[in-house]
Amino acid sequence: MGHEKSWEKRVRDWEENTERLLEKKPERKERFETLSGIPVKRLYTKEDLPAAAAEELPGEYPYTRGIHPTMYRGKLWTMRQYAGFGSASETNRRFRYLLEQGQTGLSVAFDLPTQIGYDSDDPMSVGEVGKVGVAIDSLEDMEKLFDGIPLDKVSTSMTINAPASVLLAMYVAVGEKQGVKSEQLRGTIQNDILKEYIARGTYIFPPKPSMRLITDIFAWCAKHVPKWNTISISGYHIREAGSTAVQEVAFTLADGIAYVQAAIDAGLDVDQFAPRLSFFFNAHNHFFEEIAKFRAARRLWARIMKERFGASNERSLQLRFHTQTGGSTLTAQQPDNNIVRVTLQALAAVLGGTQSLHTNSRDEALALPTEESARIALRTQQIIAFESGVADTVDPLGGSWYIESLTDEIEREAMKYIEQIDAMGGAVSAVEQGFMQREIHRVALETQRKIESGEEIVVGVNQFRLDHEPQPELMRVDPEIARQQIEALQALRNKRDGAAVQETLSRLKRAAEGTDNLMPYILDAVRAYATVGEICHTLRSVFGEYKPV
Amino acid sequence: MNRPIRVLIAKPGLDGHDRGALIIAQSLRDEGMEVIYTGLRQSPAQIVATAVQEDVDVIGLSCLSGAHNELFPEVVRLLEEQGAGDILVVGGGVIPQEDIPFLKEKGILAVFTPGTSTREVAEFIRKAVAERKA
């Protein structure tokens, strides 16, 4: 005591003392690691801080610390709860309820027939109408969905991929009927087909025509709907299918590279469409890894856009993203525990600098959320935003030795995957070869084994169980809705101008066989009240359907 | 002759979430069973046709979209119609507890909800197939 030891000497002494302590008191595990398998050291010190990290500022390239200089001090993230079920009128009521409760953006969930381009009366739709989202067959349903909701005042996110162009056209057409110009519309369509082949399964067409539809949307929106986010490149579903955080970042950005390349190949200028690209990530369980993941994704994308694609518009370099908490982490057992999981995940998203957030409801491992559980989920965000103080300074974990070192590590590991995918000819080709699908499945199996062996603890499932699970009230979709939906659809078919519908569909078919931008043709068909199924079948007749490997 | 148990893992309807189905398929293979996976978007009629053609002992249906009450009983009904009522049918996915009595009444032998271990499923199938043969 008394004399000052050097830092190096103090660290050496600390390590020696700790080693001695370990002989008497071993640690809980021999090896600690993140969910991506990145080793977690016992202690992080200033030696772990990457040199560049100390020099980074928010709002500056490569945006590790956030895309805005003031972040949530200027504007909180958008609280955007995903909702939709049953009929358009019923979902309209839930939307109005959520807006009254202080939600600041809408997010539409469509049922599976709509997502895969079938009408409600198609034999493929049996049992699925209005189940996981709202059933939309035609512009008439879309008018009911946004009845009394001024499209110049809200921003709307639509989770739609294979028929994204059709639903976007319907949104534009509803705007026209409300007297809102397409230039004023704000929102996002998911429009990410590659992750459908990789992880979620709601594809229709093969990759090549799908990529054409996507670049047609980019080009058309740049002219007509300039405030619209034309794609939300999604890691969410990749993670839900079982990937690690590193794979989530790598595969999502690899998909992003494929879209940018396709648009450039179609003759678009990178700085014209890139500012409207947005991303969608999962917030999973490992708190620090998730925060580092968001920071790493931002930095990687900025570098890819600048170095690989030569983008120069600042907005082209900034990765903006929506986050949803991890659905697959929720347990059917003791569902109230899910509120806690969601809180931690939402906090990670906020500390990671998300632009918008959906917090899952506690009962989602059992059914669609009830109104009460949807409200608690929204309140969770509001408590984080208004009570916790975490939104009051920018990138509060920036400079944390652990977070910065983990951010670097995730960036490095994700880049290795991206290089591997490049070597396979890019994401489209890697998807066609089943590469991402296999990698994700491998990790999903490992995770299942770790849970079954107890190596990974899931509270309430493989530890801390209850003998008797109380059964919560669940939300149910009335099967009557499917019948009413089919009746309304058939009534529409009788009252619309059938010849006009056929005419627009024939023009669409010819355009699909050629190279014109398909958006104007789809918009004409939508205005004539052609259905989602009719439009998609027309495109199927030209493009064919995707068959997985 | 003791042939391995043959299982068809099937995704009826339009639901594309196949993480659970793929994990179960692989785990049952690891348990020594012969497993066929249908892939996505199969109609009950297609599933029954495959099951009969492949001469399976068990069909495992996976559905997370809430369409189970319509789709699962239809598979059982079609099996009986085809004289293949001896094929056992089990189900899994996001299925509320309160739907399970209905599904069992319609001939679904067991319903495995989230959190079930793959070993539990394998043991159930082994026992059920042995009982059916006895």
Side-chain angles (χ1 to χ4, degrees):
Chain A
M1 301 287 158
H3 64 281
E4 279 185 31
K5 290 194 281 189
S6 72
W7 169 250
E8 288 73 19
K9 173 87 173 75
R10 285 174 57 206
V11 172
R12 267 202 311 280
D13 289 351
W14 182 87
E15 280 168 353
E16 279 168 22
N17 290 336
T18 308
E19 285 302 324
R20 275 198 297 278
L21 176 73
L22 285 175
E23 284 165 24
K24 281 182 282 175
K25 286 185 74 169
E27 293 174 329
R28 283 186 289 116
K29 293 190 234 179
E30 270 189 26
R31 184 182 150 84
F32 289 78
E33 54 180 41
T34 69
L35 291 173
S36 289
I38 296 171
V40 179
K41 301 204 297 181
R42 179 173 300 125
L43 179 75
Y44 289 81
T45 66
K46 59 186 178 183
E47 267 77 49
D48 297 291
L49 187 70
E55 308 291 324
E56 288 183 335
L57 288 170
E60 286 182 9
Y61 183 85
Y63 307 102
T64 316
R65 305 199 62 188
I67 58 168
H68 301 301
T70 62
M71 287 304 287
Y72 307 132
R73 283 169 69 101
K75 178 178 169 287
L76 288 167
W77 61 93
T78 304
M79 299 180 193
R80 197 190 293 279
Q81 299 294 93
Y82 183 50
F85 54 90
S87 67
S89 317
E90 211 178 344
T91 301
N92 177 268
R93 279 195 292 279
R94 176 71 71 97
F95 282 172
R96 290 186 191 212
Y97 173 80
L98 287 166
L99 290 170
E100 278 162 25
Q101 293 301 310
Q103 177 168 308
T104 48
L106 295 175
S107 176
V108 190
F110 297 98
D111 72 357
L112 287 168
T114 309
Q115 290 187 50
I116 307 175
Y118 294 112
D119 287 335
S120 295
D121 58 356
D122 194 291
M124 290 296 284
S125 306
V126 172
E128 309 276 15
V129 175
K131 282 281 164 64
V132 300
V134 58
I136 299 291
D137 287 313
S138 73
L139 178 58
E140 188 176 65
D141 292 327
M142 204 70 159
E143 289 163 10
K144 288 183 199 156
L145 186 63
F146 292 101
D147 181 36
I149 298 171
L151 299 195
D152 54 344
K153 298 285 188 322
V154 293
S155 79
T156 303
S157 165
M158 297 195 278
T159 301
I160 193 78
N161 295 283
S165 49
V166 182
L167 276 295
L168 173 62
M170 286 183 178
Y171 195 81
V172 170
V174 172
E176 285 169 358
K177 299 209 168 223
Q178 287 188 1
V180 178
K181 291 198 181 72
S182 63
E183 287 80 6
Q184 292 169 272
L185 299 175
R186 286 176 305 119
T188 307
I189 37 170
Q190 199 164 74
N191 198 25
D192 174 3
I193 203 64
L194 291 173
K195 71 103 199 317
E196 294 295 339
Y197 305 128
I198 296 172
R200 188 163 165 266
T202 58
Y203 41 72
I204 305 177
F205 317 113
K208 214 172 152 204
S210 295
M211 295 299 275
R212 169 185 170 188
L213 280 165
I214 290 168
T215 51
D216 279 359
I217 290 172
F218 288 0
W220 189 78
C221 285
K223 272 198 208 123
H224 302 280
V225 205
K227 290 183 193 160
W228 196 266
N229 297 317
T230 50
I231 194 167
S232 169
I233 307 162
S234 304
Y236 184 80
H237 316 89
I238 289 172
R239 191 66 181 277
E240 288 295 290
S243 86
T244 63
V246 165
Q247 289 172 338
E248 182 189 349
V249 170
F251 298 165
T252 308
L253 298 196
D255 288 351
I257 290 169
Y259 295 125
V260 172
Q261 192 61 55
I264 290 173
D265 293 347
L268 303 183
D269 171 58
V270 67
D271 281 317
Q272 204 188 355
F273 68 85
R276 298 315 317 174
L277 306 179
S278 64
F279 288 82
F280 175 20
F281 291 114
N282 204 306
H284 214 276
N285 276 338
H286 194 288
F287 189 67
F288 294 119
E289 181 170 55
E290 293 304 292
I291 298 167
K293 174 186 83 181
F294 299 124
R295 303 173 90 251
R298 229 171 1 242
R299 186 195 287 166
L300 260 170
W301 188 246
R303 289 194 176 145
I304 288 166
M305 289 308 287
K306 188 174 179 173
E307 290 165 16
R308 182 170 182 146
F309 294 112
S312 54
N313 184 342
E314 269 213 339
R315 301 265 304 167
S316 304
L317 311 178
Q318 295 170 343
L319 179 146
R320 295 168 301 128
F321 67 103
H322 171 71
T323 307
Q324 180 173 339
T325 57
S328 66
T329 69
L330 303 186
T331 62
Q333 294 78 7
Q334 304 174 44
D336 283 351
N337 294 345
N338 293 328
I339 298 174
V340 182
R341 293 189 177 98
V342 167
T343 306
L344 286 167
Q345 294 163 0
L347 191 56
V350 169
L351 293 173
T354 195
Q355 274 62 58
S356 85
L357 179 60
H358 166 108
T359 32
N360 286 345
S361 299
R362 60 182 164 173
D363 44 5
E364 288 188 47
L366 299 158
L368 284 186
T370 61
E371 196 165 279
E372 190 198 358
S373 59
R375 187 179 61 240
I376 296 171
L378 176 60
R379 293 288 181 261
T380 304
Q381 293 200 41
Q382 291 162 336
I383 291 167
I384 291 172
F386 300 111
E387 298 184 11
S388 74
V390 296
D392 295 352
T393 189
V394 179
D395 188 31
L397 291 184
S400 148
W401 299 314
Y402 178 33
I403 287 289
E404 294 291 0
S405 137
L406 198 49
T407 302
D408 257 28
E409 184 77 9
I410 290 174
E411 181 189 12
R412 209 167 22 247
E413 291 298 315
M415 203 55 218
K416 280 189 206 158
Y417 260 127
I418 291 172
E419 282 162 3
Q420 203 177 346
I421 291 166
D422 279 342
M424 299 176 79
V428 176
S429 154
V431 165
E432 285 172 338
Q433 295 171 49
F435 171 70
M436 286 92 133
Q437 297 91 314
R438 279 195 304 276
E439 284 291 289
I440 294 167
H441 177 53
R442 179 176 60 75
V443 175
L445 266 175
E446 271 170 29
T447 305
Q448 182 66 23
R449 286 186 183 138
K450 281 182 189 165
I451 292 170
E452 294 194 12
S453 71
E455 188 187 330
E456 207 169 297
I457 292 172
V458 184
V459 172
V461 174
N462 63 3
Q463 281 225 39
F464 316 111
R465 296 165 64 126
L466 289 179
D467 290 336
H468 296 285
E469 286 284 340
Q471 293 306 312
E473 275 294 298
L474 297 181
M475 146 94 185
R476 299 202 73 93
V477 176
D478 184 357
E480 178 63 10
I481 280 173
R483 206 186 54 76
Q484 288 169 2
Q485 182 70 23
I486 290 168
E487 261 177 23
L489 171 61
Q490 283 160 358
L492 172 84
R493 286 216 181 94
N494 292 331
K495 75 182 172 205
R496 66 185 184 180
D497 180 347
V501 171
Q502 282 318 313
E503 175 57 29
T504 61
L505 291 176
S506 322
R507 281 206 303 269
L508 172 62
K509 185 163 189 280
R510 280 197 299 279
E513 286 159 352
T515 55
D516 275 10
N517 189 311
L518 293 174
M519 278 308 294
Y521 298 93
I522 292 171
L523 188 57
D524 281 346
V526 159
R527 286 186 187 124
Y529 292 86
T531 64
V532 172
E534 289 161 348
I535 295 171
C536 289
H537 284 319
T538 301
L539 295 174
R540 274 185 181 99
S541 74
V542 179
F543 296 154
E545 288 198 23
Y546 176 69
K547 295 274 174 277
V549 280
Chain B
M1 272 298 284
N2 232 351
R3 69 158 201 176
I5 295 173
R6 286 172 71 80
V7 185
L8 179 69
I9 297 293
K11 287 286 298 175
L14 301 178
D15 167 43
H17 296 90
D18 58 359
R19 176 178 179 171
L22 290 170
I23 284 179
I24 282 289
Q26 185 60 50
S27 303
L28 296 182
R29 273 182 206 124
D30 294 347
E31 295 272 348
M33 300 182 196
E34 287 178 358
V35 183
I36 303 140
Y37 173 51
T38 58
L40 303 181
R41 293 190 214 163
Q42 300 292 302
S43 68
Q46 287 171 313
I47 292 168
V48 168
T50 310
V52 170
Q53 194 189 334
E54 297 283 348
D55 189 24
V56 300
D57 304 291
V58 181
I59 302 175
L61 299 168
S62 159
C63 179
L64 283 76
S65 71
H68 49 269
N69 282 351
E70 281 90 349
L71 297 171
F72 289 8
E74 183 63 6
V75 170
V76 177
R77 193 186 70 77
L78 289 171
L79 281 173
E80 273 158 17
E81 200 178 275
Q82 309 247 328
D86 60 327
I87 296 177
L88 306 175
V89 182
V90 298
V94 174
I95 294 168
Q97 288 294 328
E98 61 194 55
D99 288 356
I100 294 176
F102 167 79
L103 292 171
K104 287 194 169 165
E105 193 186 301
K106 292 286 176 186
I108 313 300
L109 202 57
V111 177
F112 302 104
T113 49
T116 312
S117 79
T118 55
R119 180 146 303 158
E120 241 173 273
V121 177
E123 273 162 23
F124 180 91
I125 288 175
R126 237 181 245 121
K127 201 159 154 260
V129 170
E131 275 170 14
R132 187 200 58 183
K133 282 179 178 158

